Amino acid sequence: MITSVGNPKIKNMVALRDSARERKKQGCFIGEGKRMFSEVPENALLGVYLTEVYLEKNGEDARLLAGGYELVSDDVMRRLSDTKTPQGIVFCVKKPEVDVKALYRRLEEETPLLLLLDGVQDPGNLGTILRSAEAAGVHGIFA
């Protein structure tokens, strides 16, 4: 169990959370919460950090059963989390490669449905927006 906010892995996660430059440099981003975790493709997960309480409540999750996570103390989770009341799970996700040229070609061939996002701060709201966009047949999202 990681109990120190001085741990190099924790320091890196905090840097990723706080710095767009660091996220771009490392090619990943931070996610938080059970619902968002369930949406991440298995091969895109780079690191998962959770509390014992979260593990007790959600230990039946097949991804967690595979053991690809690190337990952290509640203090460390509060440091990792970007919300006032952490849900007990924070994870790092590999940023998907976007083929901008293909998107431009599509713009020339047809009129795609695009979604532009600005200032979305709540991860839960973003997840809802993304799921709704997929259901509506959105071709691309700019955030």
Side-chain angles (χ1 to χ4, degrees):
M1 175 183 283
I2 299 175
T3 58
S4 170
V5 294
N7 180 291
K9 291 179 181 180
I10 302 306
K11 283 184 173 183
N12 186 57
M13 288 289 287
V14 171
L16 289 168
R17 183 197 67 201
D18 294 343
S19 170
R21 178 179 288 146
E22 194 63 32
R23 290 189 297 273
K24 186 174 184 177
K25 177 181 164 188
Q26 294 188 37
C28 59
F29 59 93
I30 302 299
E32 185 170 352
K34 181 179 180 178
R35 176 174 270 164
M36 288 188 74
F37 177 71
S38 70
E39 304 269 336
V40 177
E42 190 75 32
N43 61 350
L45 280 172
L46 299 176
V48 180
Y49 300 87
L50 48 97
T51 63
E52 286 182 303
V53 172
Y54 183 89
L55 185 60
E56 288 171 11
K57 291 181 180 179
N58 302 284
E60 74 284 351
D61 186 324
R63 291 176 165 187
L64 298 179
L65 291 173
Y69 62 85
E70 300 247 14
L71 282 176
V72 298
S73 68
D74 291 337
D75 287 338
V76 171
M77 182 56 66
R78 279 190 289 279
R79 180 75 172 121
L80 289 175
S81 177
D82 199 28
T83 60
K84 291 180 183 177
T85 49
Q87 295 182 41
I89 184 168
V90 174
F91 45 91
C92 185
V93 180
K94 180 181 174 185
K95 193 174 181 182
E97 295 296 321
V98 177
D99 187 353
V100 178
K101 289 181 182 180
L103 182 57
Y104 284 128
R105 281 193 303 275
R106 190 170 202 165
L107 283 169
E108 292 171 357
E109 296 168 5
E110 61 181 276
T111 306
L113 178 59
L114 301 174
L115 177 63
L116 305 174
L117 302 176
D118 182 35
V120 179
Q121 294 181 352
D122 184 336
N125 290 345
L126 179 60
T128 301
I129 291 168
L130 295 177
R131 286 187 297 279
S132 298
E134 182 179 14
V138 169
H139 296 109
I141 300 172
F142 291 91

